[in-house]
Amino acid sequence: MTDEAYGDGARVDGTRGVALGRPETVRALARDRKRAYASAVAGAAVWALGAWLRYGTSYGPGSDLPIPLILLGGIATLRGLGGLVMARRMRRVLAAGPWNAYPAVLLMSGVRNVVVVLGDPATGETLPLYVKTQRPRLAKPAADGVMWWCGDPVRGGVLARSSGDRPIWTTPVHRPAVRQFMVQEAAERGLLDGPEGVEGAEGAEERAVAESG
C-alpha cells in the first residue's frame, strides 16, 4: 500500500471513539510509565551511589567497584527517561484516533530487526512496520492472526494485540526495496488470504451476547 493512506480495517470503537478510551489501554500506558519512572529513579540512585563511592570517599579512587555502578545507573536512567518519552508519545497518538484491527504477520530477522506487516484483504494494501520494543513477543499476533493499530502510516503509530493492553511503538518501513521484500514475505505467509473483514472486539462481544440470548 502507499504511505499516504491506509484502509480503516475493522474499527474497534472505545469510549469517545479513540483508542485511549479503552480502560485496558489506559492501564497499560500507566503501567509502562510507572515502570519507566521506576527505572529512571533507581538508575539515578545507583549512579549517584557509584559517583559518591568513586569521587566522594577515600575508598573509591583505588577501586574499580564504583565504575560498574556508574555505568549501570546511567544506562537504567537513560532507559527510564526514554520510556517516559515513549509513553507520552503513544498517549498522544492514542488520544487522537481509534484502534483498527488488521490481519498481521510477524517477521523477525534478529533481536533488533522486528517487523510486523499489516494487511487489508479487501483492498490488497499492506503496511510494514518496524517494532520498537525490548519485548518482541508483544508483536506476535494472537491465534486469530489479528493486531490492532492506531497511528499515521507516515510518522508511525501504536500496535497491540487484541484488547489493546500491551501497546508498543512502531515506525513505517520507508525504503522501497525493504518494503517490497517484507510485503512479499508476509504475502507468502498468507497475510492477504484471510477474510475481507476483520471483526473488532466490540463486534465479537455483541455477536456472542446475541447468540447466547
Side-chain angles (χ1 to χ4, degrees), residues 49-67 70:
L49 175 61
W52 178 74
L53 290 174
R54 179 68 174 175
Y55 305 108
T57 68
S58 59
Y59 169 80
S63 172
D64 292 333
L65 176 61
I67 296 178
I70 293 173

Side-chain angles (χ1 to χ4, degrees), residues 22-39:
R22 294 189 66 84
E24 301 93 334
T25 303
V26 174
R27 288 194 295 268
L29 286 180
R31 182 176 58 249
D32 289 347
R33 188 178 186 279
K34 183 178 180 180
R35 184 184 298 115
Y37 180 79
S39 176

